Every structure is written in C-alpha cells, then in structure tokens.
Amino acid sequence: QRDAVGDDFEALIAADQRIEPRDAMPDTYRETLIRQIAQHAHSEIIGMQPEGNWITRAPSLRRKAILIAKVQDEAGHGLYLYSAAETLGIDRQELLDRLHDGKQKYSSIFNYPTLTWADCGAIGWLVDGAAIMNQVPLCRCSYGPYARAMIRVCKEESFHQRQGFEILWNLMRGTESQRAMAQDAADRWWWPALAMFGPPDTGEAAKGGHTAQSMAWGIKRFSNDDLRQKFVDMMVPQAEKLGIVLPDPDLRWNPERGHYDFGEVDWDEFWRVLRGDGACNAERIAHRRRAHEEGAWVREAANAYAAKQATREQQ
Ligand code: FAQ
C-alpha cells in the first residue's frame, strides 16, 4: 500500500511534471539522481584535464584564448551540477571525497590521453558532440534543478562542439602531416566517444543497468543504444564534410532502417577502463586530489570572507 507522498510523486511523474527539491520523492529516485548528477559533475571537472594539458601549447594566441575559455566553461558546468546535486541533500565535500576515493565514477572518456593538438579538435567535435546528444534530452529530465542546469550547459556544449569541428576543419585544410594528425585523433577518439553513452541495452551488462527504471522516472528519455545511434547518424555527414574517415569498416547507410549500421564498441575495454585500468585513470585522480589539496587555502579564505560578511550583516 502506497502512502500519500508516494502517490503525489507518481502523479507528478505520470503527468510529466517536474519534481522539485522540496517535493517528497522515493529514496531510490533521490539516490539515482545523486549518482548520475555527481558522476556528471565529476566528469566535467576531470574533463578539464585532457584539454588543460594543451593550454600552454595551443598553436596560436586565438586558440589559447578559446581553449582557456572552454576549460573554464567545464569548471562552471561542474559547479552548476554540484549545486544541483546539493539540492538533493548531499554535501559537495562528500561528493568530492567519493570521487577522490574512487567510490563514484566519472566518464570513461577522460581516461584517454591527449597526444597531439588535433586531440583538442577531436574532443570538441566527438566528445562534446556525444555530450550534447546525451544532454539535450536531460533538459526534459523529471528533476527540475538538473533539467534547468542542462539548458545552459547544452548551449555552451554546442559552442564547444563547433570549436572542435573548426580545429579539425583547419587541420584538414592544412599540410599533409596536419591532415594525418587530425585523422589519427579521430581514429583514437571515435570508439571511446561511442562508449560514452554507456553499455548496450541488451545482453549481460543491461541486466544490472539503470535504464529501465530511469526511463520510467523520466530521468533518462532515451536508451543508451538509441542515443548512440542518433550520434552516429549525426556524425557521419560531419565526418564527410571534414574529409575524415571514421575508423569503422562496418559503417554504412541502411536504407531499410533509415540509419547507419555500425560496428561493436569494445566493451571489454570499456569495463577495464571503468575498473581503473585505462591509460590515464591514476594520473587523473592524482592530479585532481593534488588540485583539491592545493586549493584548500582558497576554500578557507572564501569561508572566512563569507563568515565576516555574515557578521557584518548582523551588526
Ligand atoms: N563512463 O545503466 P547504465 C562531459 C556506468 S560529458 C563511466 O547505462 P545510467 C562534457 C554507469 O554509471 C560526460 N561509467 O547507467 C565534457 C553505471 O554504473 P553505476 C558526462 C559509465 O546512469 C566534454 C553502469 O555503467 N556526462 O563531461 C559510462 O543509467 C568535454 C551501467 O550503466 C554525463 O554524465 C561511461 N561512459 O546511464 C566535459 C551525462 N556509461 O553508476 C569536458 C549524464 C555508463 O551503477 C570536456 N549521465 N557507465 O556504478 C547519463 O546520462 C547516464 O548516467 C549515462 C549512464 C548515460 C552516462
């Protein structure tokens, strides 16, 4: 038998209305959102590292200015998302501890290295492209603060994707070695970008997955495989425009389905990376912990300032 609180929640979900922080909600709904929003926030701040690696080496002042702004946007998205998670009654420090202790995940994609300048182009084009595909539906997520945060984040991501495309566009119109660099970056980032959408909807991995419940709650609006397909369909014409060959011999238009067919992601690699065994997992967390420790004085100063302002207001 359900109580009135449960009924209110179910009625709001059934009517496709937003759940707000003060509304009663099942613990499992709250936990699912804390998990997803925290992972998303962690991805944004860990995601600053691969591109941050190129700020000192960007090939021109213009590229450097754009890259700094992009990485700063990612920090902003992280802060926005931690604030959204806090509306669910969890403390930001607790979330950061969980990230640092490996108890919460961040996106698999950020465990791959940025070896050349073209990787900044590939990240913008493919990784931000995948992020947008995943996040536009989240603007209609049933949890109000998350849905609203996604609106601004998506606008910024679409700028990020264009700047990535433009980096690759210029490289593809450059020298032979610049074209080779762009192609190599696309070769290395294509499959990890497809894996960003999460494990397939069917098979072993799907059994322990969250999709069915998250879709019933209006958190997820599309399954992982549906978003992956939409992403492939969007990217193939863009790759053709760039003159980049996507590294998949099985990629071809299927007129019956009205979609591109494509090959299978290496899911063993995906799970290996999630278990901590990717090229950069250890480096990413070590750098994050160090940045957090070195930033302690900033948090202390901000807290001292806030406390001083609060006392002044009382006087
Ligand atoms: N990496 O049942 P599902 C960005 C985990 S974009 C790591 O499908 P769910 C922008 C999943 O957590 C990237 N883990 O789970 C940017 C679960 O494990 P758990 C961030 C993954 O939650 C661009 C298990 O596998 N975007 O940062 C991944 O329903 C450039 C089973 O999976 C978001 O986080 C993965 N790729 O669906 C920044 C978007 N995929 O938690 C800088 C919001 C799955 O039980 C530079 N999140 N797992 O231990 C989502 O939409 C969902 O959480 C999914 C996963 C779709 C990622």
Side-chain angles (χ1 to χ4, degrees):
Q1 196 189 342
R2 268 231 227 72
D3 55 16
V5 163
D7 286 346
D8 283 351
F9 173 82
E10 293 298 339
L12 284 170
I13 295 289
D16 208 10
Q17 305 243 329
R18 297 272 185 274
I19 307 295
E20 296 298 339
R22 287 198 186 87
D23 292 336
M25 59 187 95
D27 289 346
T28 42
Y29 176 83
R30 190 185 295 278
E31 280 155 22
T32 293
L33 278 164
I34 291 176
R35 177 184 62 79
Q36 176 165 330
I37 301 173
Q39 283 183 12
H40 196 165
H42 300 331
S43 302
E44 295 283 356
I45 63 166
I46 294 278
M48 297 165 72
Q49 293 185 38
E51 289 161 292
N53 182 32
W54 279 89
I55 288 175
T56 56
R57 292 173 292 163
S60 69
L61 181 61
R62 175 174 170 268
R63 290 293 180 202
K64 192 194 282 269
I66 294 170
L67 191 60
I68 291 172
K70 181 185 191 277
V71 172
Q72 196 171 310
D73 282 353
E74 286 155 6
H77 296 172
L79 298 182
Y80 229 52
L81 285 161
Y82 284 120
S83 296
E86 283 186 316
T87 65
L88 290 156
I90 184 136
D91 188 59
R92 184 176 307 217
Q93 185 55 53
E94 166 69 21
L95 295 177
L96 287 170
D97 287 345
R98 290 187 193 175
L99 168 66
H100 298 157
D101 297 344
K103 291 188 186 129
Q104 276 181 337
K105 298 185 168 76
Y106 57 89
S107 182
S108 49
I109 193 78
F110 302 117
N111 293 307
Y112 292 84
T114 37
L115 304 179
T116 70
W117 167 249
D119 288 15
C120 289
I123 289 180
W125 180 46
L126 295 172
V127 177
D128 285 281
I132 296 167
M133 195 48 89
N134 165 272
Q135 284 164 208
V136 166
L138 291 175
C139 297
R140 293 187 292 114
C141 160
S142 59
Y143 189 58
Y146 191 31
R148 288 188 290 274
M150 280 302 108
I151 295 171
R152 174 179 174 164
V153 169
C154 284
K155 285 184 182 159
E156 293 182 353
E157 301 285 31
S158 77
F159 163 72
H160 293 171
Q161 203 222 358
R162 279 155 201 239
Q163 70 84 41
F165 183 92
E166 201 238 353
I167 290 175
L168 295 177
W169 177 266
N170 282 355
L171 289 174
M172 290 306 286
R173 267 136 207 84
T175 62
E176 200 172 312
S177 61
Q178 285 172 319
R179 281 197 294 281
M181 199 200 284
Q183 179 63 56
D184 168 63
D187 288 346
R188 284 181 290 106
W189 289 92
W190 174 249
W191 291 107
L194 290 191
M196 284 174 73
F197 295 95
D201 298 344
T202 48
E204 263 320 289
K207 285 184 194 152
H210 306 288
T211 300
Q213 181 60 74
S214 286
M215 284 181 79
W217 277 330
I219 297 173
K220 273 174 136 167
R221 297 286 177 173
F222 295 96
S223 75
N224 299 355
D225 281 339
D226 284 352
L227 286 175
R228 198 169 3 253
Q229 179 72 64
K230 279 166 168 279
F231 177 68
V232 172
D233 291 347
M234 176 177 84
M235 298 314 272
V236 173
Q238 294 187 13
E240 280 166 5
K241 271 250 172 321
L242 284 169
I244 280 177
V245 181
L246 293 172
D248 180 357
D250 296 325
L251 189 66
R252 66 181 59 86
W253 178 249
N254 181 332
E256 275 148 45
R257 291 202 309 122
H259 293 289
Y260 285 91
D261 288 338
F262 57 100
E264 186 73 6
V265 171
D266 182 346
W267 293 112
D268 290 341
E269 175 178 316
F270 171 78
W271 294 114
R272 207 167 53 239
V273 170
L274 251 60
R275 281 197 304 272
D277 208 11
C280 301
N281 296 57
E283 181 186 327
R284 298 291 184 239
I285 287 294
H287 185 85
R288 170 93 270 289
R289 280 165 171 262
R290 196 166 56 243
H292 190 69
E293 281 156 21
E294 287 173 3
W297 68 272
V298 180
R299 292 188 298 278
E300 279 160 24
N303 282 337
Y305 182 74
K308 192 169 79 182
Q309 291 300 103
T311 333
R312 279 206 190 135
E313 270 160 32
Q314 279 167 10
Q315 280 164 4

